[in-house]
Amino acid sequence: MTTPVTPVLREMRWWDIDSVLELEKDLFPEDAWSRGMFWSELAHSRGPEATRRYVVAEEGERLVGYAGLASAGELADVQTIAVARDYWGTGLGSVLLTELLRAATAFECAEVMLECRIDNIRAQKLYERFGFEAIGFRRGYYQPGNVDALVMRLTTASDSGSAAVSTSERGTEING
């Protein structure tokens, strides 16, 4: 396992899209998001009516991860989490997910949902450590590869009042 990192997290901005797309195409070659998809998400991430939170992780000048969350009412949806391959096992995925759960709390969401490729065991283990539970499948969700998605949900602990608080006591280490 690699030494834990302390990346700098900051809000994703339009000028990050090229670097994000490079990482996106490397990690998700069959179902990478388009430039337009990121532009659309970022259009909803600023101002008093914002319903999105997108962040990037930088180590020096290099973008090594990114993540995004959408909210609607009391429901948040993890849209994406990506970590550069050479940063797998460093804890960066946990750092990014923790930030998304903070955003869900700020949006006053009681429930956080996500879809995860059925063959992405590494991501599933991360989500399970944070308290997400599998609740179903979406057949052929990831196209064009026709890969199923595992649908997972995290509900706010009734005594904590927020998704981030209910998960902050859980371990956040990613084991390679």
Side-chain angles (χ1 to χ4, degrees), residues 9 55 66-69 78 80-81 83 91-104 112 114 123 125-132 154 164 167 172:
L9 290 189
V55 295
Y66 59 90
L69 178 107
V78 173
T80 187
I81 294 182
V83 172
L92 182 53
S94 290
V95 170
L96 291 165
L97 183 55
T98 297
E99 179 59 28
L100 295 185
L101 294 178
R102 282 191 193 114
V112 181
L114 60 84
K125 289 179 187 259
L126 168 66
Y127 302 136
E128 288 169 357
R129 283 194 297 275
F130 274 75
F132 281 84
L154 175 68
T167 60
T172 57

Side-chain angles (χ1 to χ4, degrees), residues 1-147:
M1 182 165 148
T2 314
T3 307
V5 296
T6 30
V8 175
L9 290 189
R10 64 170 174 77
E11 179 183 11
M12 184 187 294
R13 300 300 302 273
W14 65 267
W15 51 80
D16 295 312
I17 291 177
D18 285 342
S19 297
V20 166
L21 285 173
E22 284 180 33
L23 193 52
E24 179 83 2
K25 288 173 185 168
D26 176 53
L27 296 172
F28 313 111
E30 287 188 352
D31 48 14
W33 281 24
S34 68
R35 180 179 308 278
M37 291 169 78
F38 281 106
W39 271 102
S40 178
E41 289 297 295
L42 292 181
H44 298 285
S45 68
R46 298 181 61 89
E49 303 298 318
T51 58
R52 307 289 194 274
R53 172 76 170 141
Y54 276 78
V55 295
V56 293
E58 293 177 315
E59 228 9 80
E61 296 294 313
R62 182 177 167 218
L63 190 139
V64 295
Y66 59 90
L69 178 107
S71 70
E74 292 191 357
L75 178 65
D77 189 57
V78 173
Q79 302 288 82
T80 187
I81 294 182
V83 172
R85 292 178 194 277
D86 58 325
Y87 279 74
W88 288 1
T90 65
L92 182 53
S94 290
V95 170
L96 291 165
L97 183 55
T98 297
E99 179 59 28
L100 295 185
L101 294 178
R102 282 191 193 114
T105 298
F107 286 130
E108 299 181 354
C109 297
E111 194 170 69
V112 181
M113 304 284 293
L114 60 84
E115 290 88 16
C116 179
R117 284 178 64 106
I118 198 72
D119 57 357
N120 191 343
I121 303 304
R122 172 185 296 277
Q124 291 171 36
K125 289 179 187 259
L126 168 66
Y127 302 136
E128 288 169 357
R129 283 194 297 275
F130 274 75
F132 281 84
E133 296 177 340
I135 60 168
F137 296 93
R138 294 189 186 201
R139 303 283 177 212
Y141 182 80
Y142 293 98
Q143 294 297 329
N146 201 36
V147 177

